[in-house]
């Protein structure tokens, strides 16, 4: 375990918590570039897509029933259900639903899924308080940037130790966003970060179970509770990130204050957001793309062997060798590669099922995939070499960590994903009305989004 004294000396020079709180407090909608606001709306639309679809999952049903049974002041909607619960309950249930399919966006700066904890908390708070779209988007961006900066502070060791950053770092993002929506000053935002930090938890050992999506829900709930308590005068430390026995020293060997406080490429971490177009763990996306490049030139039955090279970090995230359920299939490098080589649509939710995991042809192809882990590679890089029965060798490489520069093209892909996931639940008319509401969010009360998410 790292000694506390180096953290204290760094903390004296870099009061990170206070500086991040000041940044969040100072952010104004009027100062935001148009493309950053467009990206924020894309994040919201993508969140609605995956949350509506995730609301049909068993884990979402369990959590929703629990919340409804407990009762409370019904001020916030459960997405995909005709029910309202308390704001904290809505943050928990919607947050878990939004991560249930592992189809939500990613940012490598925070080492996880940035949008799900933030929007799940913000939407519940905004609906309960009658907030408008401009303040909602500004709060979202403030939370997003804070979350990514805290990820830069403690990664990579925080994640390598077994902490799920969506749960831990996500609690801070949700707390900063909700505090910003409440109009708290920098001092109280720092307090909210302290309250969020003392709740932050989530274990990577839970990947492949219902607890992984629960992490996102708990992060949303943690952040919302932190902000509302800070607003009421609840006390906490204002230096939770850098203090002795604080978040960084107890959960990471890394403390990169200079990285956390530096401006990211492009000026906003949001410009490096990565959307998912395969309904599986993001570390499987580069291998899937490699397999798709090769797939068009082969008969999957002619594969003799396949060698997949990825970063060693994937071994503890998505290397379930022989998955037996749809949820486990999302965390299997070998099976997702086999699915893509076989030409199966990896964007479809139905692909990740017990039937796929136990399909004899897919199992035979899966068992021909050998994974070699490479030290020091980017998490988003993969190389695949396929040897065919006739001796031919085909190779492909892909990096899924490169953000799309054409926002129009990206927006079209996200809208297509949204329509595919939302229409089965909402119907065509309401789905298109919801997409239009997101496109004009700045001019609407945020509660309109929640209203349109009730099933048809």
């Amino acid at each position: 375990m790292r000694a506390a004294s180096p953290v204290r000396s760094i903390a004296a020079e870099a009061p990170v918590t206070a500086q991040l709180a000041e940044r969040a407090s100072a952010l104004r909608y009027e100062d935001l570039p148009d493309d950053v606001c467009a990206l924020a709306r894309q994040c919201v639309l993508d969140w609605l897509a995956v949350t509506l679809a995730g609301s049909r999952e068993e884990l979402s049903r369990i959590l929703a029933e629990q919340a409804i049974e407990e009762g409370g002041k019904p001020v916030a909607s459960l997405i995909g259900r005709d029910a309202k619960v308390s704001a904290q309950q809505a943050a928990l249930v919607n947050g878990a639903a939004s991560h249930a399919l592992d189809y939500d966006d990613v940012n490598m700066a925070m080492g996880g899924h940035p949008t799900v904890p933030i929007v799940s908390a913000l939407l519940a708070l905004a609906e309960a308080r009658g907030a408008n779209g401009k303040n909602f988007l500004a709060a979202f961006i403030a939370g997003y940037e804070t979350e990514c900066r805290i990820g830069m502070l403690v990664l990579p060791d925080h994640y390598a130790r077994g902490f799920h950053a969506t749960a831990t770092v996500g609690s801070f993002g949700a707390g900063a966003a909700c505090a910003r929506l409440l109009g708290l000053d920098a001092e109280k935002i720092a307090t909210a970060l302290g309250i969020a930090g003392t709740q932050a938890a989530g274990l990577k050992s839970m990947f492949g179970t219902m607890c992984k999506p629960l992490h996102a829900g708990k992060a949303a709930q943690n952040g919302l509770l932190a902000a509302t308590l800070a607003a009421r005068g609840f006390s906490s430390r204002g230096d939770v990130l850098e203090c002795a026995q604080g978040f960084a020293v107890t959960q990471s060997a890394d403390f990169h204050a200079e990285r956390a406080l530096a401006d990211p490429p492009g000026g906003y971490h949001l410009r490096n957001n990565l959307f998912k177009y395969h309904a599986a763990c993001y570390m499987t996306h580069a291998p899937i793309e490699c397999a798709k490049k090769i797939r068009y030139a082969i008969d999957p039955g002619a594969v003799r062997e396949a060698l997949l090279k990825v970063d060693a970090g994937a071994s503890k995230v998505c290397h379930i060798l022989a998955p037996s359920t749809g949820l486990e299939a999302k965390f299997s490098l070998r099976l997702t590669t086999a699915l893509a080589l076989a030409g199966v649509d990896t964007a479809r939710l139905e692909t990740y099922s017990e039937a796929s995991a136990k399909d004899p042809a897919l199992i035979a192809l899966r068992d021909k995939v050998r994974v070699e882990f490479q030290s020091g590679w980017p998490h988003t890089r993969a190389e695949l070499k396929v040897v065919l029965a006739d001796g031919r060798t085909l190779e492909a490489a892909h990096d899924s960590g490169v953000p799309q520069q054409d926002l129009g093209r990206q927006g079209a892909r996200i809208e297509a994903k949204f329509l595919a996931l939302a229409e089965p639940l909402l119907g065509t008319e309401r789905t298109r009305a919801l997409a239009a509401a997101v496109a004009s969010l700045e001019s609407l009360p945020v509660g309109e989004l929640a209203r349109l998410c009730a099933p048809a």
Side-chain angles (χ1 to χ4, degrees):
M1 181 177 291
R2 185 184 55 175
S5 55
V7 176
R8 284 198 298 268
S9 64
I10 292 173
E13 300 172 7
V16 179
T17 311
Q19 292 191 52
L20 295 187
E22 182 63 41
R23 288 172 184 263
S25 174
L27 189 145
R28 296 289 179 270
Y29 174 83
E30 292 73 20
D31 299 329
L32 294 168
D34 289 344
D35 70 302
V36 171
C37 292
L39 279 165
R41 290 192 297 272
Q42 289 180 357
C43 288
V44 173
L45 188 66
D46 188 73
W47 180 89
L48 288 166
V50 297
T51 308
L52 283 162
S55 72
R56 301 298 91 189
E57 294 295 297
E58 179 69 4
L59 70 93
S60 301
R61 180 194 64 78
I62 293 170
L63 291 171
E65 288 182 354
Q66 175 82 9
I68 293 167
E69 182 180 305
E70 288 179 353
K73 189 176 181 181
V75 295
S77 300
L78 295 181
I79 300 301
R81 286 180 163 79
D82 188 16
K84 287 192 175 186
V85 293
S86 72
Q88 285 190 44
Q89 289 169 325
L92 173 66
V93 177
N94 292 336
S98 65
H99 195 44
L101 301 172
D102 223 290
Y103 210 175
D104 44 307
D105 59 14
V106 171
N107 193 306
M108 304 314 293
M110 59 84 63
H113 303 266
T115 294
V116 289
I118 299 173
V119 174
S120 304
L122 265 185
L123 183 61
L125 180 62
E127 185 182 6
R129 301 294 178 103
N132 64 51
K134 286 185 178 180
N135 286 337
F136 178 90
L137 288 178
F140 169 76
I141 295 165
Y144 191 108
E145 297 300 309
T146 301
E147 185 179 50
C148 288
R149 288 178 181 276
I150 293 173
M152 296 292 286
L153 181 75
V154 297
L155 292 177
D157 187 64
H158 177 67
Y159 194 78
R161 286 189 181 204
F163 291 106
H164 184 197
T166 304
T168 53
V169 179
S171 295
F172 291 107
C178 289
R180 171 62 183 77
L181 189 65
L182 290 171
L184 302 190
D185 62 21
E187 183 178 358
K188 287 201 170 183
I189 293 178
T191 299
L193 293 176
I195 301 170
T198 203
Q199 301 177 83
L203 302 173
K204 281 164 58 184
S205 60
M206 297 298 157
F207 285 12
T209 78
M210 291 182 181
C211 286
K212 184 176 189 281
L214 179 65
H215 291 168
K218 287 293 293 180
Q221 187 181 53
N222 292 344
L224 176 56
L225 178 62
T228 52
L229 287 179
R232 291 179 180 274
F234 203 85
S235 69
S236 180
R237 291 192 66 131
D239 59 352
V240 64
L241 297 173
E242 66 270 17
C243 68
Q245 298 186 328
F247 180 73
V249 73
T250 59
Q251 298 196 25
S252 180
D254 291 306
F255 187 92
H256 303 293
E258 71 291 345
R259 294 198 313 173
L261 298 173
D263 288 334
Y268 288 86
H269 283 289
L270 184 54
R271 285 181 169 141
N272 298 304
N273 193 70
L274 302 168
F275 292 97
K276 296 179 75 169
Y277 305 107
H278 307 289
C281 174
Y282 201 75
M283 287 188 182
T284 69
H285 285 213
I288 288 171
E289 292 294 338
C290 288
K292 287 178 67 178
K293 293 175 183 178
I294 292 173
R295 163 74 184 102
Y296 299 105
I298 67 167
D299 172 0
V303 174
R304 179 191 300 168
E305 62 179 351
L307 174 62
L308 175 66
K309 293 183 179 181
V310 294
D311 177 61
S315 65
K316 297 180 181 179
V317 178
C318 52
H319 192 41
I320 297 177
L321 293 173
S324 59
T325 68
L327 190 55
E328 288 182 348
K330 293 171 179 281
F331 296 90
S332 175
L333 285 164
R334 298 202 309 160
L335 181 59
T336 51
T337 301
L339 287 166
L341 285 173
V344 179
D345 186 354
T346 50
R348 294 181 70 247
L349 303 181
E350 295 79 9
T351 293
Y352 305 90
S353 65
E354 183 177 344
S356 293
K358 295 183 177 179
D359 181 274
L362 286 172
I363 289 174
L365 187 54
R366 178 202 74 193
D367 289 345
K368 294 176 182 178
V369 178
R370 179 166 57 90
V371 183
E372 282 190 3
F373 295 106
Q374 311 295 310
S375 297
W377 273 28
H379 292 326
T380 54
R381 176 182 170 188
E383 294 179 1
L384 180 64
K385 180 169 73 173
V386 174
V387 180
L388 303 179
D390 61 8
R392 285 185 298 144
T393 298
L394 301 172
E395 299 185 37
H398 188 80
D399 187 346
S400 60
V402 181
Q404 172 63 252
Q405 299 302 308
D406 185 341
L407 293 189
R409 183 171 182 270
Q410 177 169 273
R413 293 187 74 183
I414 294 168
E415 184 169 357
K417 175 182 173 181
F418 170 76
L419 294 175
L421 294 179
E423 275 189 355
L425 184 62
L426 300 183
T428 301
E429 183 178 349
R430 183 166 290 191
T431 297
R432 295 190 180 279
L434 182 56
V438 174
S440 57
L441 182 55
E442 286 93 331
S443 62
L444 295 175
V446 178
E448 180 68 5
L449 300 184
R451 185 188 69 80
L452 289 169
C453 285

